[in-house]
């Protein structure tokens, strides 16, 4: 289970059914994750997208990655219009500040999941998000992502 043995240590792991929060080492910054979802891939496909909202109280943090047991790989993607075409690009990170929560959603910046195993709408899977704070410390937050039907 490579996904469950990340190289990044030490970490703070905090799990909750509906949203998750993790204090940093200083106990001042609080990260809150809510509304996590993964779109059920179309039949025969193992590629899909997902989203969530991250807000932070205190110092800014940076989302630098995500993993889930439900997918081989999760990337951070931007979505933009380029010459009338929707363009997705992988990015290394997304910033989160008190003034600017991070929203990952369908049709916007999003999580891109590759090698997705069988998942069914209505169930949920844990997604582990890795953040860095301004001191360079890594913080992990686990959130339950709801599996939702493909957009109709
Ligand atoms: Cu994408």
């Amino acid at each position: 289970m490579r996904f469950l043995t990340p190289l990044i240590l030490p970490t703070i792991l905090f799990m909750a059914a509906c949203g998750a929060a993790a204090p940093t080492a200083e106990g001042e910054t609080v990260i809150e994750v809510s509304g996590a979802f993964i779109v059920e891939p179309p039949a025969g496909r193992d590629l899909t997208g997902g989203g969530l909202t991250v807000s932070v109280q205190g110092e800014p943090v940076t989302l630098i990655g995500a993993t889930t047991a439900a997918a081989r790989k999760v990337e951070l993607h931007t979505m933009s219009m380029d010459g009338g075409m929707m363009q997705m690009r992988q990015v290394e990170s997304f910033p989160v500040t008190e003034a600017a929560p991070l929203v990952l959603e369908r049709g916007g910046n999003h999580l891109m999941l590759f090698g997705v195993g069988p998942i069914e709408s209505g169930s949920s899977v844990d997604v582990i998000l890795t953040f860095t704070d301004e001191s360079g410390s890594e913080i992990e937050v686990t959130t339950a992502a709801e599996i939702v039907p493909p957009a109709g």
Side-chain angles (χ1 to χ4, degrees):
M1 296 293 287
R2 279 175 52 230
F3 297 113
L4 300 181
T5 55
L7 300 172
I8 33 193
L9 291 169
T11 58
I12 300 164
L13 205 56
F14 187 97
M15 300 177 66
C18 302
T24 63
E26 296 82 37
E28 291 173 355
T29 299
V30 177
I31 299 168
E32 288 189 38
V33 180
S34 61
F37 70 92
I38 293 169
V39 179
E40 183 181 353
R45 302 287 302 276
D46 68 353
L47 178 67
T48 192
L52 44 78
T53 298
V54 182
S55 59
V56 65
Q57 294 168 19
E59 305 276 302
V61 294
T62 304
L63 176 64
I64 60 166
T67 61
T68 173
R72 178 172 48 80
K73 181 171 67 168
V74 183
E75 292 183 356
L76 309 178
H77 278 197
T78 60
M79 181 84 87
S80 59
M81 292 300 287
D82 192 346
M85 299 277 288
M86 294 281 255
Q87 287 277 348
M88 295 195 301
R89 286 192 185 81
Q90 184 183 7
V91 293
E92 293 297 312
S93 63
F94 285 118
V96 192
T97 67
E98 273 193 353
L102 172 64
V103 179
L104 302 181
E105 58 190 346
R106 298 191 214 217
N109 297 340
H110 57 278
L111 299 174
M112 199 86 208
L113 291 82
F114 299 85
V116 180
I119 52 175
E120 282 193 13
S121 298
S123 63
S124 72
V125 297
D126 282 348
V127 174
I128 302 166
L129 303 170
T130 304
F131 298 89
T132 55
D133 66 15
E134 292 192 316
S135 72
S137 298
E138 294 195 346
I139 306 145
E140 283 195 352
V141 179
T142 300
T143 190
E146 183 187 356
I147 311 304
V148 300

mmCIF file of all heavy atoms in Angstrom, residues 47-49 75-79 88-89 110-114, ligand 1:
data_model
loop_
_atom_site.group_PDB
_atom_site.id
_atom_site.type_symbol
_atom_site.label_atom_id
_atom_site.label_comp_id
_atom_site.label_asym_id
_atom_site.label_seq_id
_atom_site.Cartn_x
_atom_site.Cartn_y
_atom_site.Cartn_z
ATOM 1 N N LEU A 47 -10.291 7.646 -15.228
ATOM 2 C CA LEU A 47 -9.834 9.028 -15.078
ATOM 3 C C LEU A 47 -11.029 9.872 -14.654
ATOM 4 O O LEU A 47 -12.092 9.772 -15.263
ATOM 5 C CB LEU A 47 -9.327 9.510 -16.441
ATOM 6 C CG LEU A 47 -8.842 10.940 -16.578
ATOM 7 C CD1 LEU A 47 -7.569 11.152 -15.785
ATOM 8 C CD2 LEU A 47 -8.622 11.255 -18.048
ATOM 9 N N THR A 48 -10.859 10.671 -13.624
ATOM 10 C CA THR A 48 -11.979 11.511 -13.216
ATOM 11 C C THR A 48 -11.477 12.732 -12.455
ATOM 12 O O THR A 48 -10.277 12.894 -12.242
ATOM 13 C CB THR A 48 -12.998 10.712 -12.372
ATOM 14 O OG1 THR A 48 -14.198 11.478 -12.226
ATOM 15 C CG2 THR A 48 -12.445 10.384 -10.998
ATOM 16 N N GLY A 49 -12.416 13.579 -12.074
ATOM 17 C CA GLY A 49 -12.077 14.800 -11.358
ATOM 18 C C GLY A 49 -12.748 14.851 -10.004
ATOM 19 O O GLY A 49 -13.643 14.067 -9.690
ATOM 20 N N GLU A 75 -3.539 14.523 -9.190
ATOM 21 C CA GLU A 75 -2.812 15.738 -9.567
ATOM 22 C C GLU A 75 -3.661 16.965 -9.270
ATOM 23 O O GLU A 75 -4.889 16.886 -9.195
ATOM 24 C CB GLU A 75 -2.484 15.718 -11.077
ATOM 25 C CG GLU A 75 -1.466 14.652 -11.462
ATOM 26 C CD GLU A 75 -1.111 14.707 -12.951
ATOM 27 O OE1 GLU A 75 -1.705 15.512 -13.697
ATOM 28 O OE2 GLU A 75 -0.213 13.929 -13.351
ATOM 29 N N LEU A 76 -2.987 18.095 -9.137
ATOM 30 C CA LEU A 76 -3.653 19.386 -8.993
ATOM 31 C C LEU A 76 -3.703 20.021 -10.376
ATOM 32 O O LEU A 76 -2.668 20.167 -11.026
ATOM 33 C CB LEU A 76 -2.874 20.288 -8.030
ATOM 34 C CG LEU A 76 -2.506 19.669 -6.671
ATOM 35 C CD1 LEU A 76 -1.695 20.673 -5.841
ATOM 36 C CD2 LEU A 76 -3.742 19.229 -5.914
ATOM 37 N N HIS A 77 -4.899 20.382 -10.828
ATOM 38 C CA HIS A 77 -5.059 20.930 -12.181
ATOM 39 C C HIS A 77 -5.746 22.286 -12.146
ATOM 40 O O HIS A 77 -6.639 22.514 -11.333
ATOM 41 C CB HIS A 77 -5.930 19.999 -13.034
ATOM 42 C CG HIS A 77 -5.180 18.842 -13.617
ATOM 43 N ND1 HIS A 77 -5.679 18.100 -14.658
ATOM 44 C CD2 HIS A 77 -3.973 18.316 -13.317
ATOM 45 C CE1 HIS A 77 -4.814 17.148 -14.976
ATOM 46 N NE2 HIS A 77 -3.771 17.246 -14.169
ATOM 47 N N THR A 78 -5.332 23.137 -13.068
ATOM 48 C CA THR A 78 -6.081 24.367 -13.329
ATOM 49 C C THR A 78 -6.918 24.154 -14.572
ATOM 50 O O THR A 78 -6.640 23.277 -15.397
ATOM 51 C CB THR A 78 -5.152 25.571 -13.566
ATOM 52 O OG1 THR A 78 -4.318 25.293 -14.705
ATOM 53 C CG2 THR A 78 -4.271 25.839 -12.356
ATOM 54 N N MET A 79 -7.944 24.955 -14.714
ATOM 55 C CA MET A 79 -8.784 24.928 -15.920
ATOM 56 C C MET A 79 -8.883 26.357 -16.417
ATOM 57 O O MET A 79 -9.168 27.262 -15.648
ATOM 58 C CB MET A 79 -10.182 24.407 -15.559
ATOM 59 C CG MET A 79 -11.124 24.303 -16.732
ATOM 60 S SD MET A 79 -10.916 22.755 -17.625
ATOM 61 C CE MET A 79 -12.033 21.704 -16.685
ATOM 62 N N MET A 88 -6.679 22.112 -19.458
ATOM 63 C CA MET A 88 -6.291 21.712 -18.118
ATOM 64 C C MET A 88 -4.775 21.680 -18.043
ATOM 65 O O MET A 88 -4.118 21.204 -18.961
ATOM 66 C CB MET A 88 -6.813 20.318 -17.781
ATOM 67 C CG MET A 88 -8.303 20.242 -17.717
ATOM 68 S SD MET A 88 -8.833 18.722 -16.895
ATOM 69 C CE MET A 88 -8.105 17.475 -17.929
ATOM 70 N N ARG A 89 -4.254 22.178 -16.944
ATOM 71 C CA ARG A 89 -2.805 22.118 -16.749
ATOM 72 C C ARG A 89 -2.508 21.664 -15.324
ATOM 73 O O ARG A 89 -3.154 22.102 -14.382
ATOM 74 C CB ARG A 89 -2.167 23.494 -16.955
ATOM 75 C CG ARG A 89 -2.091 23.903 -18.407
ATOM 76 C CD ARG A 89 -1.204 25.119 -18.623
ATOM 77 N NE ARG A 89 -1.250 25.542 -20.007
ATOM 78 C CZ ARG A 89 -2.203 26.285 -20.538
ATOM 79 N NH1 ARG A 89 -3.190 26.718 -19.777
ATOM 80 N NH2 ARG A 89 -2.175 26.608 -21.815
ATOM 81 N N HIS A 110 -9.201 21.990 -10.112
ATOM 82 C CA HIS A 110 -9.767 20.726 -9.637
ATOM 83 C C HIS A 110 -8.684 19.725 -9.277
ATOM 84 O O HIS A 110 -7.508 19.919 -9.591
ATOM 85 C CB HIS A 110 -10.689 20.123 -10.714
ATOM 86 C CG HIS A 110 -10.005 19.890 -12.022
ATOM 87 N ND1 HIS A 110 -9.823 20.901 -12.947
ATOM 88 C CD2 HIS A 110 -9.425 18.791 -12.556
ATOM 89 C CE1 HIS A 110 -9.181 20.417 -13.992
ATOM 90 N NE2 HIS A 110 -8.908 19.137 -13.786
ATOM 91 N N LEU A 111 -9.113 18.644 -8.633
ATOM 92 C CA LEU A 111 -8.265 17.472 -8.454
ATOM 93 C C LEU A 111 -8.489 16.570 -9.654
ATOM 94 O O LEU A 111 -9.610 16.393 -10.112
ATOM 95 C CB LEU A 111 -8.656 16.705 -7.180
ATOM 96 C CG LEU A 111 -8.539 17.456 -5.849
ATOM 97 C CD1 LEU A 111 -9.100 16.602 -4.725
ATOM 98 C CD2 LEU A 111 -7.099 17.841 -5.563
ATOM 99 N N MET A 112 -7.404 16.009 -10.188
ATOM 100 C CA MET A 112 -7.512 15.062 -11.300
ATOM 101 C C MET A 112 -7.021 13.716 -10.792
ATOM 102 O O MET A 112 -5.898 13.610 -10.295
ATOM 103 C CB MET A 112 -6.641 15.534 -12.457
ATOM 104 C CG MET A 112 -7.011 14.919 -13.773
ATOM 105 S SD MET A 112 -8.311 15.895 -14.532
ATOM 106 C CE MET A 112 -9.097 14.614 -15.491
ATOM 107 N N LEU A 113 -7.867 12.695 -10.925
ATOM 108 C CA LEU A 113 -7.536 11.374 -10.398
ATOM 109 C C LEU A 113 -7.285 10.408 -11.541
ATOM 110 O O LEU A 113 -8.096 10.307 -12.479
ATOM 111 C CB LEU A 113 -8.675 10.849 -9.518
ATOM 112 C CG LEU A 113 -8.880 11.575 -8.176
ATOM 113 C CD1 LEU A 113 -9.687 12.839 -8.359
ATOM 114 C CD2 LEU A 113 -9.560 10.659 -7.164
ATOM 115 N N PHE A 114 -6.170 9.689 -11.460
ATOM 116 C CA PHE A 114 -5.775 8.722 -12.480
ATOM 117 C C PHE A 114 -5.778 7.323 -11.873
ATOM 118 O O PHE A 114 -5.433 7.149 -10.713
ATOM 119 C CB PHE A 114 -4.372 9.046 -12.995
ATOM 120 C CG PHE A 114 -4.261 10.394 -13.641
ATOM 121 C CD1 PHE A 114 -4.027 11.524 -12.871
ATOM 122 C CD2 PHE A 114 -4.403 10.540 -15.017
ATOM 123 C CE1 PHE A 114 -3.931 12.776 -13.458
ATOM 124 C CE2 PHE A 114 -4.310 11.789 -15.608
ATOM 125 C CZ PHE A 114 -4.068 12.906 -14.829
HETATM 126 CU CU1 LIG B 1 -7.761 17.889 -14.964
#
